[in-house]
Amino acid sequence: MSLNDLFGAAGAKPKQITTYTTGSGVYIPTADQARCYVELQASGGGGCNSAVAGGGGGAKIGFWVRVPIAGLAYAVPASGAVNTDGSKATFGTMSAQGGKAGTSASSVSSGAGGLVGAMAGAVNSTNASMAMGGIADAYPGGAGGNASNSGNLVGFPANVTATSSPSLGFGDYAGNNGRGAGSGGDSFFGKGNPSNTAPDAAAYGAGGGYFQAGSPGVIRVYDYGV
C-alpha cells in the first residue's frame, strides 16, 4: 500500500470531523477501513493543595489510522483533581499521557508535563550513549509552576533551573507561560490555569494552578473516508 492509498490526494477534505470532550465509547467511521487522522489530548494534572506547585499539562499526539466499520474504542480523560495526576486519552491502541500533579514531596515541587517518548542510556564523565523513542506529531505538556515561577510552555515537561550554555544558546526555561507563580503547565490546546483559579474547561489538557484541578482532555477524529 502506498502513502497515497493511505492518506489520499493532497488537499483532500475530511468527510466528517468529530470532537469528543467527555466520556468513552466507540467511534464508527464513515466507511469500512476509513482513513482517519486522530488527535489525542490528555488531561492536565491538578495543582498542589498548598501554595507550592501547579500541575503539568497533558501530552498531545496525532496519528493516521485505518478504522474498520466496527469502529475503535475511545476514552476522553476527566480533569486531574487537586493533588491528582491527569489521565490518558485513548483511541484504539494509542494513548497520550496525562500531566502529573503538583507536589511538594521530596522537594520536587512542580508537576511534570505529560511525556511523548522515553530516553535511556549510560552516561559517565566522558561519554554518553543514548536512545530515544517517540511519535512524530507529538507535544509534551509543560511542567507546572511553583511558588517562584509560572508554568512551562508546551515541549518543556520538566521544571528545572537549567545551567546556561552560551555555545548552545540554552538557558533557564522555567516560568515562561506568563500565567503567574504556581500556575499550571501549558498544553497544545490551552494555557496553564492560574493558581487558585477554577480551571478553564475549554483549555483542554492544561495543568491546574495550586489549590485547583487541571483541565479535561479532548479527542478529535478527522475522517477522510476510503
Side-chain angles (χ1 to χ4, degrees):
M1 178 184 291
S2 70
L3 290 178
N4 270 345
D5 291 333
L6 179 60
F7 303 138
K13 295 182 179 180
K15 297 179 181 297
Q16 174 176 284
I17 300 174
T18 304
T19 301
Y20 298 110
T21 58
T22 187
S24 60
V26 176
Y27 175 76
I28 303 299
T30 57
D32 190 29
Q33 298 300 316
R35 296 167 289 123
C36 295
Y37 187 76
V38 181
E39 292 183 313
L40 300 181
Q41 174 63 64
S43 59
C48 189
N49 63 352
S50 59
V52 175
K60 181 262 185 186
I61 66 171
F63 56 92
W64 286 95
V65 62
R66 288 277 192 181
V67 181
I69 196 61
L72 291 175
Y74 70 87
V76 181
S79 305
V82 176
N83 272 5
T84 305
D85 295 344
S87 298
K88 294 184 295 185
T90 64
F91 187 93
T93 62
M94 301 294 284
S95 297
Q97 186 183 61
K100 301 293 286 184
T103 176
S104 58
S106 302
S107 300
V108 181
S109 61
S110 296
L115 302 179
V116 298
M119 184 169 68
V123 180
N124 61 33
S125 61
T126 57
N127 297 291
S129 176
M130 292 288 172
M132 181 175 290
I135 298 169
D137 184 3
Y139 300 84
N146 54 38
S148 301
N149 296 299
S150 299
N152 280 0
L153 300 172
V154 169
F156 295 97
N159 197 352
V160 300
T161 301
T163 301
S164 297
S165 175
S167 62
L168 299 177
F170 180 76
D172 185 356
Y173 56 77
N176 50 1
N177 73 359
R179 302 289 274 178
S183 58
D186 289 358
S187 70
F188 180 86
F189 288 100
K191 299 295 289 181
N193 292 288
S195 63
N196 208 24
T197 301
D200 181 354
Y204 303 119
Y210 48 64
F211 296 113
Q212 295 292 335
S215 294
V218 68
I219 295 175
R220 286 193 177 136
V221 184
Y222 302 81
D223 189 323
Y224 289 81
V226 295

